[in-house]
Amino acid sequence: MPVITETAPGKIILLGEHSVVYGRPAIAVPVEQVKARSSVIPNPRAEPGSIRIYAPDINLDCDLKELPDEHPLRFIVSLVLKTAGVSRIPACTIRVSSDIPLASGMGSGAAVTVSLIRAISGFIGHLFTDDTVNQLTFEVEKLFHGTPSGIDNTVITYSMPIYFQVGQPIELLEIQERVPILIGDTGVHSPTSIAVGDLRRAWQTDSLTYERIFDEVGNLVKLAKSHLESGDLHQLGHLMSENHAFLQHMGVSSKELDQLVRCALEAGALGAKLSGGGRGGNMIALVEEGTINTVADKLRSGGASNVIITWLFGKKQPGTS
Ligand code: MEV
């Protein structure tokens, strides 16, 4: 039996995080420069059915059955077997690792889940469609990350830029030109579920104000989609910065994020904003090719613990490879 290895990318939200939880649209793109990786390695000398789990990033090395039922890795393995209608699998070691920063708004949890679901289903010879992988990952996200919109699992499963709105068909974006984006990490860990939960409480006490903000962001996202598709990066950048101002109003920015956004704009970025849950984690800056290095240097000197350069690009349709 061969070793099965699957990877899944990180992601950024170009515009529309948080308001997407309340039914407005958002745009997300995969970040292929960072990945979660899961391998299933047959272990023919071990007792049949035994599954060893090795996740060095979180110091985990044990038999799967030693983990509590509600541990995410155990839950994912059980979910895959249940969905495939398989009760026992050949003895194996599952190795999980990721270089996507944890709790930083880049979808590390969803990427681990997608890679693990695909690796196990490949190992047992029961390949799932992308739609099933997406659905299962959403189940896992709901269990461990509060009230997600579903945007993270969707962009990571399909690995393409998407225009996403809860309850609507997924739209893949046609981006004609390669567009450079810098991702600056504040180095501050901030689980998305906390920012999402705090915003929900604020919305419950003053839904009128927040609904108005979400509407404004929804309008920005719709405009951004057309600028992205027509290649008008100056307008797109402008909308991203406006989106950041609304995210500040929602209370999900932080002084570190605001500082990096300021640095990027001072250094010539076309637009900048936090990306993902906020309160820490990563910000993004839309740049022209000629200013990539200047903006990246300014982000580093402004306190970014890491800077990634990624490119927006995408034209594929779902199900194509
Ligand atoms: C997280 O990447 C995006 C949020 O809008 C949460 C969600 O949509 O589930 C903050």
Side-chain angles (χ1 to χ4, degrees):
M1 245 182 154
V3 174
I4 303 289
T5 297
E6 291 284 349
T7 62
K11 71 95 197 19
I12 49 174
I13 309 274
L14 207 56
L15 289 101
E17 53 276 271
H18 287 293
S19 39
V20 69
V21 174
Y22 297 83
R24 277 53 166 204
I27 297 173
V29 297
V31 176
E32 303 287 348
Q33 287 77 4
V34 286
K35 285 193 189 302
R37 181 182 305 271
S38 295
S39 299
V40 186
I41 305 141
N43 200 355
R45 276 176 299 192
E47 209 180 291
S50 90
I51 303 175
R52 184 118 199 121
I53 191 107
Y54 178 50
D57 300 341
I58 52 168
N59 288 323
L60 194 68
D61 184 4
C62 63
D63 276 345
L64 190 70
K65 59 180 186 306
E66 288 171 37
L67 295 176
D69 287 345
E70 63 280 7
H71 188 285
L73 295 176
R74 182 161 184 180
F75 180 83
I76 295 165
V77 175
S78 307
L79 185 65
V80 171
L81 299 187
K82 191 169 140 218
T83 308
V86 168
S87 56
R88 224 166 133 84
I89 66 175
C92 60
T93 296
I94 297 175
R95 188 184 196 286
V96 180
S97 63
S98 171
D99 55 15
I100 305 171
L102 281 174
S104 299
M106 289 191 69
S108 61
V112 164
T113 306
V114 167
S115 69
L116 186 53
I117 290 174
R118 289 198 169 125
I120 301 167
S121 67
F123 183 71
I124 59 178
H126 192 113
L127 286 177
F128 295 144
T129 62
D130 284 349
D131 289 351
T132 303
V133 172
N134 191 26
Q135 233 168 40
L136 296 180
T137 305
F138 188 44
E139 290 309 310
V140 177
E141 291 280 288
K142 279 194 287 195
L143 214 67
F144 297 106
H145 302 286
T147 53
S149 62
I151 192 168
D152 286 13
N153 46 283
T154 305
V155 67
I156 290 170
T157 298
Y158 295 100
S159 241
M160 286 175 236
I162 57 166
Y163 181 82
F164 177 91
Q165 192 163 7
V166 173
Q168 299 296 320
I170 306 155
E171 267 187 66
L172 301 180
L173 291 174
E174 301 220 347
I175 305 171
Q176 307 300 337
E177 292 171 42
R178 276 159 53 86
V179 180
I181 294 269
L182 294 177
I183 305 171
D185 196 340
T186 60
V188 178
H189 285 190
S190 171
T192 298
S193 55
I194 294 180
V196 169
D198 287 351
L199 180 55
R200 182 161 294 276
R201 278 181 287 279
W203 170 78
Q204 278 161 348
T205 57
D206 185 4
S207 62
L208 212 66
T209 301
Y210 285 93
E211 285 293 326
R212 265 198 221 117
I213 297 177
F214 299 152
D215 279 341
E216 298 275 6
V217 174
N219 291 335
L220 295 185
V221 175
K222 285 178 206 154
L223 276 175
K225 177 177 184 267
S226 62
H227 293 316
L228 187 59
E229 290 181 330
S230 68
D232 189 342
L233 301 189
H234 282 83
Q235 291 296 336
L236 178 64
H238 190 70
L239 295 174
M240 287 169 63
S241 299
E242 272 191 64
N243 190 173
H244 184 71
F246 282 118
L247 289 159
Q248 288 175 315
H249 284 307
M250 290 180 211
V252 295
S253 192
S254 69
K255 66 177 187 328
E256 292 86 357
L257 284 163
D258 291 345
Q259 152 84 357
L260 293 185
V261 165
R262 229 179 357 256
C263 286
L265 295 174
E266 279 169 15
L270 300 176
K273 62 180 277 293
L274 71 84
S275 173
R279 296 272 173 82
N282 283 274
M283 53 71 69
I284 56 175
L286 178 68
V287 292
E288 288 171 302
E289 272 197 72
T291 59
I292 291 176
N293 290 335
T294 321
V295 178
D297 287 348
K298 187 75 192 247
L299 286 174
R300 286 188 198 99
S301 65
S305 60
N306 192 32
V307 177
I308 295 171
I309 302 168
T310 191
W311 299 81
L312 306 187
F313 187 67
K315 266 186 175 189
K316 291 189 286 186
Q317 291 304 311
T320 62
S321 56

